[in-house]
Amino acid sequence: MPALDTRGVLVALVNLIVLCVLRTRTQDLPPPPHRDPFVYQGHHTDTFQVSHQLPDGVEMKSYLFKNRPQTFFFLLDKSPIPLELSVTPCASPIVWSLERKPLPQEDFYDEHRVDPFLEFQSSLETPVTLGNWSEERRRTYRDPTASAGLYSITITSTRSDSTVRILATTTGATHPVYPALPADRKVRVLGTARRNVTFAWPDAAGAIVARPIEYCIAVTRVRNFRTYCSFMSHTVGDEKPVLSKKDQWGFSWEKEKHKQLRRKANPVEPMLARKIVSQQCVGSNREFTFKGRRGKTYYMDVYAIDKETNKSEAYEGAEVKLPEKRSKKMQIVDGGRMTLKLKQDNVPQMVTFEAKERMPLLSVEFGVCAGKIPFEILHNKKLVHRSIVRRWKRVRMKNVLPGNYTFRFPRLKRRKAFVSMHVTSRPSLLTLPRDMSINVYQPMTTCTNITVAWMGTHKKQKYCLYVKELSEIRSLKRHRCSSANDRPKSERVLCMRYRNRDVNKALMKSTITGLKPRTTYVVDVYLSRGRSGPVAYKSVNVRTKGGRC
Ligand SMILES: *[C@@H]1O[C@H](CO)[C@@H](O)[C@H](O)[C@H]1NC(C)=O
Ligand SMILES: *[C@@H]1O[C@H](CO)[C@@H](O)[C@H](O)[C@H]1NC(C)=O
Ligand SMILES: *[C@@H]1O[C@H](CO)[C@@H](O)[C@H](O)[C@H]1NC(C)=O
Ligand SMILES: *[C@@H]1O[C@H](CO)[C@@H](O)[C@H](O)[C@H]1NC(C)=O
Ligand SMILES: *[C@@H]1O[C@H](CO)[C@@H](O)[C@H](O)[C@H]1NC(C)=O
C-alpha cells in the first residue's frame, strides 16, 4: 500500500497496541521494572521512531523540524498510578501540550464490529487538556494519581530544528532518571577580582536516591543554555535525523521518507569556538573561576551529570558583565608630550588640555607606530574636529577660545595600539617629506657595509639614523613603536641637520660600516624639528653579503 502516509501508520500502531492492552488487561502484571502493561514488551524503543509510542521509564530522543508539531503517546492502563512526563528541549525552545484520552470500555471492540481504527478515533470521549507550556528548560508534569488513558504530548520546536528528549515514567519516585537538585538551584557569582569571575552553586548531593554526580560547567559569551543537551547542540552542532537499521522495518516507503526528511532537515550549527570561554567537568567542586575581559558579558551554566547514565539536570544559570575600566582623567599641558596605550576592551581614552585664556595658536601632533587610529577633538564637550592618524598627524588651531579641549580616542577594533601626543602653543614647523621610505643601494651592499638613502625637505630639520641586528629584536611590533628617544646611543649611526632648497633633490645618503656578514639589520630614520617629532620613517631590513671580505 504505497499511498499509506505515516500518520496512518502511527494511528494504526497505537491502535494495535491499545488493542493488545485491552486483550491482556485482566492478567496480573509483574511489578516494575519488569512490569510492562504492553504485549510489545521490549519492542517499544525499537518502534518509537515510527510509532512515537513512549516506553515506560526510558528517555527517548526525537528530531523536530522547526514549527512542525509532533505528537508522542504514552499509554497508561491502570489508575490511579503516579505518572511523570518530562520533556527536555535541546537546540531550540519548544511549546508543548499534554492531553489525555480516556480508554474505551473493555467491551467496546466486541460491540462495534466495524473498522476498529476509525471507531477508536471517533468514539472516544473528548480529550482532556492537562496543560501546555512554552519552555527552554526541562519541564516535568507530575500526577501522583494519574488516570488511565492515552496521553499525547504535542511538541513544536520554535526557533530552529532541534531534538527533544521525552521521558514517561510510572516509577519516578523510586527510580529517578535525572539527578535531583536542591530547591535552590541558582548559580551565584561570588565575586570578580580584577577580571577573575568566581561562581558557585549549591550541592546536589543528599538526594533521596544517591547517585554518582559530577558537575560540568559552561561559560560562554552567547547566552545561558537551559539544558545540557542545548549546550552540546550549540557546541558541536546537531546532526540530520538518521533512521538507524533497527528503526527500519523494511516497508518500501521508509527509504524515500527518510531521504525526504534528511533533505528538509536544517539542524543547528556549532557556535563560534571563541564564544566558548570554558567548558569542563569539575568533579565534585562547587566553585569555578575564569578570567574575563572588561566590558564583556559572560553566561555561566552548571549541569549535574549522573556519571553512570549521563543524564543531566541544569542549574539556573547566571550572567555577569565585567565593568568597563573607567577612563582616567588625563591632562596635558602646553609643551607636554605623552604616550597612551589604547586597548580593545577599554572605554574611549581621553586627554584634556585646558586653555585658560584665548590663545593665538595651538598645535597638536599625533603619532602612531602601526595602522591608523581615529580621534576626535571636543571643545567643552562639543565636537570640533574628527579625523584619523596614520603615522603622524598635526592639527593646528588658530584663535583658540578658552575652555577644555578633549582629545578622544574611541574603543579599538584591534587588541592594542600606542599613540603619542604633543601639544604646543609655539609654532610646530615640522615638514614631512613626500616619501617616508628608506631605500637600500643594493650595488653598494657588501659583507660589512650597507648604504641607504631617504628623502629630506627644503626646511632644515634633524635626521637620525639607527641600525640594529634583527635577531636582537624580540618584538618587531614593539620595535616599530619605539621612538628615537627610547633607543640606546649604541644603535645610533648619525644625527644630522639637512635641507635642500630644491625639494626634488633633497636626497640623503649614508653608508653604515663595520657590520657582520650574512646578517640582517633593521635600519630606521627619525625626523624631528625643535620639539616636534620624532617621526619614524618606514623601517627597512637589509642583509649583508657573505663571501670573502
Ligand atoms: C494553553 O493554555 C492556556 C491557558 O493555560 C490556554 O489559554 C491556551 O489556549 C492553551 N493553548 C493551547 C495551544 O492549548
Ligand atoms: C585569577 O585567577 C588565576 C587563575 O585561576 C589566579 O592565578 C590569579 O591569582 C587570580 N587573580 C586574582 C586577582 O584573583
Ligand atoms: C557517557 O558519556 C561518555 C562520554 O561521552 C561515554 O563515553 C559513555 O559511554 C556514556 N555513558 C552512557 C551510560 O551513556
Ligand atoms: C575645565 O574643566 C574643569 C573640570 O571640569 C573645570 O573646573 C574648568 O573650569 C574648565 N576650564 C575652563 C577654562 O572652562
Ligand atoms: C666599507 O666602507 C668603508 C668606509 O666607506 C670602506 O673603507 C671599506 O672599504 C668598505 N668595505 C667594503 C668591503 O666595501
Side-chain angles (χ1 to χ4, degrees), residues 116-406:
F117 293 166
L118 295 175
E119 282 302 319
F120 180 73
Q121 285 296 296
S122 56
S123 67
L124 281 177
E125 292 168 45
T126 41
V128 186
T129 301
L130 300 172
N132 67 54
W133 301 274
S134 176
E135 289 291 351
E136 222 173 309
R137 308 170 179 278
R138 170 178 301 142
R139 150 86 56 180
T140 300
Y141 168 84
R142 283 195 183 83
D143 185 351
T145 54
S147 309
L150 180 65
Y151 286 78
S152 54
I153 301 167
T154 303
I155 311 176
T156 312
S157 175
T158 53
R159 194 190 292 151
S160 64
D161 279 14
S162 180
T163 57
V164 71
R165 291 166 189 208
I166 316 156
L167 168 73
T169 177
T170 54
T171 57
T174 49
H175 295 85
V177 170
Y178 303 114
L181 296 192
D184 172 17
R185 49 168 68 187
K186 277 203 181 81
V187 173
R188 287 195 169 78
V189 176
L190 295 186
T192 55
R194 288 166 185 270
R195 281 147 47 210
N196 276 6
V197 179
T198 302
F199 59 96
W201 52 96
D203 198 351
I208 305 161
V209 182
R211 302 287 308 164
I213 295 292
E214 169 167 57
Y215 301 110
C216 295
I217 62 98
V219 181
T220 73
R221 286 189 34 212
V222 180
R223 59 183 166 85
N224 285 112
F225 294 92
R226 306 296 182 186
T227 61
Y228 189 58
C229 73
S230 168
F231 176 68
M232 292 313 287
S233 289
H234 288 283
T235 308
V236 294
D238 273 347
E239 283 178 355
K240 289 195 170 193
V242 251
L243 208 55
S244 72
K245 273 265 151 49
K246 78 174 182 32
D247 294 326
Q248 296 183 37
W249 297 87
F251 296 111
S252 55
W253 47 265
E254 279 178 340
K255 258 202 179 124
E256 189 47 39
K257 180 86 196 164
H258 185 215
K259 258 196 220 153
Q260 272 180 22
L261 286 182
R262 284 181 68 85
R263 251 201 310 277
K264 281 185 207 147
N266 186 17
V268 292
E269 306 267 341
M271 62 183 147
L272 293 176
R274 68 182 156 86
K275 296 282 184 190
I276 306 171
V277 177
S278 190
Q279 164 196 8
Q280 52 184 286
C281 293
V282 296
S284 57
N285 287 348
R286 284 193 291 113
E287 211 178 284
F288 188 80
T289 300
F290 68 93
K291 200 168 201 82
R293 299 209 342 227
R294 292 189 185 284
K296 301 271 189 242
T297 302
Y298 295 88
Y299 300 88
M300 292 93 64
D301 285 296
V302 178
Y303 310 97
I305 301 195
D306 187 317
K307 281 197 275 190
E308 272 172 21
T309 62
N310 285 350
K311 295 284 186 291
S312 59
E313 191 65 78
Y315 280 82
E316 207 173 292
E319 68 174 85
V320 66
K321 181 169 196 262
L322 289 184
E324 307 258 12
K325 191 172 193 168
R326 260 179 292 132
S327 63
K328 276 179 278 169
K329 282 212 159 84
M330 285 177 286
Q331 293 276 330
I332 195 163
V333 295
D334 190 1
R337 194 182 282 284
M338 68 163 58
T339 300
L340 298 177
K341 185 177 183 181
L342 307 180
K343 283 162 73 181
Q344 191 182 40
D345 48 0
N346 271 358
V347 288
Q349 294 279 294
M350 288 189 265
V351 178
T352 300
F353 172 81
E354 186 179 354
K356 294 211 169 72
E357 54 207 20
R358 188 182 274 266
M359 299 166 75
L361 185 73
L362 186 69
S363 286
V364 190
E365 296 172 14
F366 300 92
V368 294
C369 46
K372 50 190 181 181
I373 291 177
F375 70 94
E376 292 169 346
I377 304 179
L378 299 94
H379 177 237
N380 293 338
K381 298 189 176 153
K382 206 170 129 251
L383 186 70
V384 292
H385 180 85
R386 171 186 282 160
S387 67
I388 289 172
V389 205
R390 208 184 307 249
R391 191 176 297 277
W392 189 81
K393 185 172 196 104
R394 173 175 43 213
V395 179
R396 285 195 182 106
M397 295 183 273
K398 285 183 176 163
N399 294 322
V400 171
L401 298 173
N404 283 308
Y405 287 83
T406 304

